Amino acid sequence: MSVRQAIVGIGQTVYRRRNPDANTAELVRRAVSEALADAGIGLDRIGVVVSGVAPDALAGRTDIDKSSVARPGIPYFRVNTGGASGSSAFLAAMSWIAAGRCDAALVVAVERMGHASTAQKVFNSIFDPIYEKDISLSTISMVAMRATMLMQEHGYTLDHWAGLAARNSASSMLNDTIDQPRSFTADDVLKSPVLAWPIHALESCPMTEGACAVVLVADHLVGDRNAAWVHGAAGLSDSYAMGDRIHRAEGSLVDLLTLIRSTAKAYDMAGITDPTRQIDCIEIQAPFASSEAMAYTALGLCTPAGGPAFVDAQIDRSSRISINPSGGPQAVNPVSATALIRIAEAALQVRQRAGRRQRDGVRTAVATGQGGATQFSTCVVLGDRAQ
Amino acid sequence: MAADAPTRRKAANAVYVHGVAITIGWADERLSLGDLIFNGVSAALADAKLSMAQMESVVLASHDLVDGRSLSSMVTAPPAGAYLRDEIRLSEDGLAALSLAAARVEAGECEYSVVAAWGRASEGDFARISRRSFDPAMVQPFAVDEFGVSAMRLSAWLATHGPAGEARSRAGAVRERSAAHRRLPTTKLVSMPAPLMSNDAPRPADIMVAAIVGRASAAIRIAGVGHGTDLTAIGDRDLKRCTALADAAAIASGAAGIAPDGFDLYELDGATLADEALAVEAVGVAAPGQGFAARATDPRINRSGGGAAGWAYPANGLLRFADACLQMRGEAGAIQLPGRPRTALATGLSTVAGQAAVVVALEAS
């Protein structure tokens, strides 16, 4: 990176199913005010506002960002890369600062999907209108196909998905940004309804609203602020067509090729050669337990064949690396904001400001972003000191 | 006023325009949206004499719902070259995408970047879609859309400056005459709310514009970029001033070191003729009240025909930019300005009704 950058401010609303008491601008104001106060920076010091807002249809209104995030007098633009919108917006803000266009950026992501009567109907319409919409393809059926492949090719079982979901549930109970965390065991997961085999209801994310804001600055503005330094960051896009990715030579549908390559680039920038030893904490954008397991391999934490054993170690908490101490997207998944929340939570961990969910000794943390049928991937590496 | 520092391109991190391509048509059943995008990016690469293998970055501008898909870039990014590349998509006008692509080059993140923006007006009713951008409780019941705001803007202008009369008619005639070079088929009529008139209407079209920008020296340099942002609420805005556009233009022209009225060419985005005339005033090429007169008589302004030569959100700003580049290269055909413009100013407006604006100043290297 040509300019060293750091996160010095974070703000989050409470995440809940609906917010009938607040309009979108009010949600954004809560997150932004908290982030600016955390950073000790006024809006007059912000040189660009970048938002991450995913499908307009989820909010039932187009360009909802303009009336809630855009700030008169400050350059503004909106990023939309589906579920990766928040982290893509973060990368865009990094480019702005690295280009010397400003030295302080405000990244905001907000989700109002509580307005949608059903998210899955909206998600069905993201696919090809001729070939795919009519076969009921949705985010859930898409994940089910991948989970089945993982079970068939690498030996995962339903217990792995249920165990991960239960671990995330337990972690979420310590997260004070969640309005009503769901407490359940692995047995509860297996007894919950099947949405699309092998996906059970309790291992999938709930519909969630909320906003997240992050203040990103160039190194000369950090001063004595408690900072999470960006050591590496990268993003990559793929074909969205799952059929083209099933037996692709470069990597199959469950190999998450874009996350592999994003991670490799970010690790290289950060000087990470042995992630299992050098990384202390990871926030993974995985709205389903099987998606989380799929990311472990892409992040270099285990081999494909060693995936089930690594999941076992996560379930019994014998692994050194803390994964999703916030509870992750299986606890709350405000789609537009989820990827930025991963960055925010990773930053809170390295800043030792994660409250009851703080894990000991976190000095290096990683956050991933996934969007558009895992078409978009991002990886951000954060550390507690400048490189 | 915009808080961003002027983004002057220094020699050390200058960004150049290597290629542009414009595709404008209407309901061509032979081409899917993916085909349209693939062809456009391929043409821009050919124009730049570069290959996709040399592109490390792709920045796109498209809009959910205008595309008929609820996540526009998902299906359409790969045809734009985003396959296994660092791609980002903005829900803004295409000129914002160009600005971000230039920032990536300036930052040293890539040597070249693809920029692409598209809109397919034949697949949707923009006015109807734009209504969904307004407050659902307080504004949508009044059926306000982007053209309705344009009418309010013109009303405010007329209340201050009086009827433009002959200048307004002549500006419309000049616009239509310039637009004839596109040879666009009859598309569809857009009804204009009063005091707009039928000749204020844009000509909806299916538009795909692509550009290649990069660090290597080329004939056209991006000399300045400005962003401006206005209030959302129409009632709170100074409608005549077009605040976001005025702020962005001041920053871009200042960064380029060129007086606001000193460019050789102005390609200005506007949903209607009236919006183009007010944009002329906002960027500083004509005094307040003189926008229609300048639009009618100054050959530097929207030589391309502006919105009458094809209009589809969110491709318009990048279209204005590409038209400016063609003029500067002496490749504008029947509408080529005498001599070759050495400087140009291109503008792009995003929803809601120009709430966000991007202005790019261009200079011959």
Side-chain angles (χ1 to χ4, degrees), chain B residues 326-338:
Chain B
L326 292 176
Q327 282 283 352
M328 293 177 73
R329 287 161 39 170
E331 298 172 7
I335 56 165
Q336 180 66 50
L337 278 168

Side-chain angles (χ1 to χ4, degrees), chain B residues 4-76:
Chain B
D4 202 7
T7 52
R8 182 164 198 152
R9 310 285 154 261
K10 298 169 190 162
N13 62 351
V15 180
Y16 297 87
V17 184
H18 289 261
V20 295
I22 299 171
T23 306
I24 299 187
W26 182 253
D28 187 342
E29 294 179 353
R30 297 167 302 174
L31 295 173
S32 69
L33 183 57
D35 294 333
L36 192 69
I37 293 165
F38 179 82
N39 292 346
V41 171
S42 299
L45 286 167
D47 186 47
K49 297 183 171 56
L50 293 167
S51 73
M52 198 65 220
Q54 294 169 274
M55 301 295 120
E56 301 159 280
S57 161
V58 177
V59 184
L60 309 175
S62 62
H63 195 279
D64 291 355
L65 306 183
V66 171
D67 268 5
R69 285 98 174 146
S70 62
L71 179 49
S72 167
S73 69
M74 199 174 102
V75 180
T76 47

Side-chain angles (χ1 to χ4, degrees), chain B residues 15-240:
Chain B
V15 180
Y16 297 87
V17 184
H18 289 261
V20 295
I22 299 171
T23 306
I24 299 187
W26 182 253
D28 187 342
E29 294 179 353
R30 297 167 302 174
L31 295 173
S32 69
L33 183 57
D35 294 333
L36 192 69
I37 293 165
F38 179 82
N39 292 346
V41 171
S42 299
L45 286 167
D47 186 47
K49 297 183 171 56
L50 293 167
S51 73
M52 198 65 220
Q54 294 169 274
M55 301 295 120
E56 301 159 280
S57 161
V58 177
V59 184
L60 309 175
S62 62
H63 195 279
D64 291 355
L65 306 183
V66 171
D67 268 5
R69 285 98 174 146
S70 62
L71 179 49
S72 167
S73 69
M74 199 174 102
V75 180
T76 47
Y83 181 72
L84 298 182
R85 282 190 178 78
D86 187 353
E87 176 241 337
I88 204 159
R89 201 256 296 189
L90 306 188
S91 287
E92 302 289 345
D93 176 78
L95 212 50
L98 183 108
S99 173
L100 179 58
R104 285 178 151 196
V105 175
E106 290 161 28
E109 295 173 4
C110 57
E111 289 297 317
Y112 296 103
S113 181
V114 172
V115 186
W118 56 84
R120 211 170 198 194
S122 67
E123 287 190 355
D125 180 342
F126 176 76
R128 188 174 175 185
I129 292 168
S130 76
R131 274 176 223 140
R132 298 292 172 258
S133 299
F134 293 90
D135 186 284
M138 310 302 288
V139 182
Q140 283 187 21
F142 294 99
V144 175
D145 59 26
E146 292 272 335
F147 302 117
V149 176
S150 178
M152 289 184 227
R153 200 177 278 133
L154 178 59
S155 291
W157 188 93
L158 292 170
T160 302
H161 302 295
E166 179 66 18
R168 194 174 164 192
S169 302
R170 287 178 56 201
V174 166
R175 181 172 175 252
E176 286 298 324
R177 201 159 50 240
S178 300
H181 74 103
R182 291 266 196 239
R183 300 179 189 280
L184 265 177
T186 299
T187 58
K188 64 181 172 187
L189 295 175
V190 181
S191 57
M192 292 285 100
L196 295 171
M197 299 186 295
S198 58
N199 70 346
D200 276 290
R203 185 161 300 169
D206 296 343
I207 300 176
M208 162 65 196
V209 190
I212 309 297
V213 296
R215 189 195 305 273
S217 182
I220 299 171
R221 185 173 67 92
I222 296 174
V225 178
H227 285 245
T229 310
D230 203 349
L231 296 153
T232 304
I234 304 303
D236 291 341
R237 295 191 199 177
D238 179 350
L239 284 174
K240 298 190 302 295

Side-chain angles (χ1 to χ4, degrees), chain A residues 22-23 34 38 56 74 78 111 139 166 169 177 199 220 265 278 307 326 332 338 343 354 364 373 378 386:
Chain A
N23 65 30
E34 187 177 306
D38 184 22
D56 287 284
I74 303 178
R78 169 190 168 190
E111 180 56 64
T139 48
S169 166
T177 68
I199 309 299
H220 68 270
K265 188 173 178 182
Q278 292 174 271
S326 68
V332 285
T338 300
I343 294 171
T364 302
T378 61

